[in-house]
Structure formats: structure tokens, C-alpha cells
Amino acid sequence: MKVLVAVKRVVDYNVKVRVKADNSGVDLANVKMSMNPFCEIAVEEAVRLKEKGVASEIVVVSIGPSAAQEQLRTALALGADRAVLVESSEELNSLAVAKLLKAVVDKEQPQLVILGKQAIDSDNNQTGQMLGALTGYAQGTFASKVEVAGDKVNVTREIDGGLQTVALNLPAIVTTDLRLNEPRYASLPNIMKAKKKPLETLTPDALGVTTTSTVKTLKVEAPAARSAGIKVKSVAELVEKLKNEAKVI
């Protein structure tokens, strides 16, 4: 079984994000970039399926600038077999990314596609669902457990009311939640081996996909600064302030 995993290059989750002075976007100058944490979980799940003998090949794909090769090499070091970069310097929305992924799916014909449920930069949680609609594949979102059984994959989903298990016919699309697994670290020998693994570079034009966006970012603002809290000496003082200053009781 071939597994396709989509990964995204994002600002590292430990970095304090800064907004550009002209409010046109996030300042990425000299900022550490890394693989989206949910994508790391997706790669780990694919590698575990391969270790169980369920998956025979893992292909990782990323859409973005040439610098995204760094994240693809990381995925290769974690256990993926080969990588595909759809190189684009444009700011792509979820639908454009889904269309490009659909073109890659048509080219690679995987039996299972795994994506992170969302990226920590845009937080849209849309690409997996849109890809499911474009391909017509069954989808299991917010997965906390994935089990492949024959020509089906059972996905336990995190929902508001608890857990829901769905049985999907392959080929299928799965988006990962935080509790699915804990990603491993790439070892130095595997990092060296990853440099020799194949990495194919494509363009949207080569895939026959138009990425013209219908969405435009008008303004990006940092959250408003919060005022510092105060300490009170007694419950009576707390109640007085909540009543007369905060006016919440």
C-alpha cells in the first residue's frame, strides 16, 4: 500500500510571531521555520504503518518555496521513501493547495492520504476536507487512532461528544489530531541517508493547476496587549472590585 503524506513549512511553534510594520503579514525574516506539528504526526503515523508491514511506500509532498525541501528532507529522515515538492512562491489558500494535492494524488495513486488536521499558521482546518471533496475519497478527520484492515481503514475521531469510529473504504483521506501518536526524532544516520533519497520538484503549471486565489489578505494585526492583573488581600475586596470595577456581578 502506498501512503501519501502532505507536510507544510511553517514558523516554528516556539517562535514569538511578529507582524510586519505595514500590517501586510507576518515577519519571516531570520525566523526559524519547521514542519507543521500536525504534519509531523501524519508522517509518524505513515512510518508506523510501514513498520507494521501495512504500507510499502511513503511519499511526502509539500507545496511552497524551494526552502520547503528542508522539511521534506526531515520527513525522509523520519522514514519516508521519497519526496515531491510543488514549488510555488505565491501565498496559496486552502482550495489552491487542495487542487495541487489532488493533482499529485492523481499522479501517484496512493491508497491512503494522511494530512495534519490544520496548520498552525493559518489554522484553517480545510485542506483535508477539500481534498476529499475533489477526489471523491472517503475521509476521516481529527483521527486519534488509525487501523488498516484489508481494504478498509478504521478511524477513531475526536468529536465534541467524545469519540466516533468510522470505517472507510480505501482509497481514503485521514487528517491527524494531537492524540494520534508522539512523533519520533530523526537520528543522525537517517538524516545523512535522507540526503540521498529522491526528491522530485514540480510546478503548478506542470500539474495543470491554476492557483489564482479568490481570497485576499487585507490586514494582519497582533493581538491587543492585555493589561496586567492585580492581587487582592481578601474575598471582600475581590467581590467589591468584580462588582464596582469589572461590573461582572
Side-chain angles (χ1 to χ4, degrees), residues 171-232:
I173 294 168
V174 172
T175 70
T176 62
D177 213 327
L178 281 173
R179 278 160 289 280
L180 180 57
N181 61 52
E182 185 173 337
R184 70 192 69 190
Y185 291 100
S187 64
L188 183 57
N190 286 337
I191 291 173
M192 301 305 294
K193 290 176 184 176
K195 294 180 180 179
K196 297 180 180 179
K197 290 184 178 180
L199 193 158
E200 181 183 6
T201 301
L202 302 171
T203 63
D205 289 340
L207 293 171
V209 177
T210 302
T211 57
T212 304
S213 178
T214 56
V215 179
K216 181 180 179 182
T217 301
L218 300 178
K219 193 175 186 182
V220 176
E221 293 181 335
R226 289 165 54 173
S227 56
I230 60 171
K231 291 183 179 180
V232 294

Side-chain angles (χ1 to χ4, degrees), residues 222-243:
R226 289 165 54 173
S227 56
I230 60 171
K231 291 183 179 180
V232 294
K233 295 180 180 178
S234 66
V235 173
E237 185 182 356
L238 173 62
V239 171
E240 187 272 330
K241 288 188 177 294
L242 289 175
K243 186 175 182 179

Side-chain angles (χ1 to χ4, degrees), residues 59-226:
V59 182
V60 287
V61 57
S62 187
I63 299 167
S66 60
Q69 291 185 34
E70 177 187 353
Q71 281 64 51
L72 288 174
R73 292 293 179 194
T74 299
L76 291 172
L78 291 170
D81 298 297
R82 56 188 178 89
V84 177
L85 172 63
V86 181
E87 195 169 336
S88 175
S89 57
E90 297 178 44
E91 184 179 343
L92 303 175
N93 61 17
S94 301
L95 182 56
V97 172
K99 287 180 177 178
L100 289 168
L101 288 177
K102 198 252 184 198
V104 175
V105 168
D106 290 343
K107 180 175 180 288
E108 294 289 341
Q109 293 294 307
Q111 284 72 53
L112 183 63
V113 182
I114 309 179
L115 308 88
K117 72 170 185 176
Q118 65 194 78
I120 62 171
D121 52 1
S122 57
D123 268 338
N124 286 331
N125 176 28
Q126 295 173 332
T127 304
Q129 292 87 330
M130 287 179 172
L131 180 60
L134 291 172
T135 58
Y137 289 2
Q139 58 177 295
T141 55
F142 317 129
S144 61
K145 187 176 181 181
V146 175
E147 292 179 313
V148 178
D151 60 350
K152 291 185 181 293
V153 54
N154 296 321
V155 179
T156 302
R157 304 179 60 235
E158 302 256 345
I159 60 174
D160 291 341
L163 299 176
Q164 177 191 58
T165 301
V166 293
L168 312 176
N169 291 322
L170 295 174
I173 294 168
V174 172
T175 70
T176 62
D177 213 327
L178 281 173
R179 278 160 289 280
L180 180 57
N181 61 52
E182 185 173 337
R184 70 192 69 190
Y185 291 100
S187 64
L188 183 57
N190 286 337
I191 291 173
M192 301 305 294
K193 290 176 184 176
K195 294 180 180 179
K196 297 180 180 179
K197 290 184 178 180
L199 193 158
E200 181 183 6
T201 301
L202 302 171
T203 63
D205 289 340
L207 293 171
V209 177
T210 302
T211 57
T212 304
S213 178
T214 56
V215 179
K216 181 180 179 182
T217 301
L218 300 178
K219 193 175 186 182
V220 176
E221 293 181 335
R226 289 165 54 173

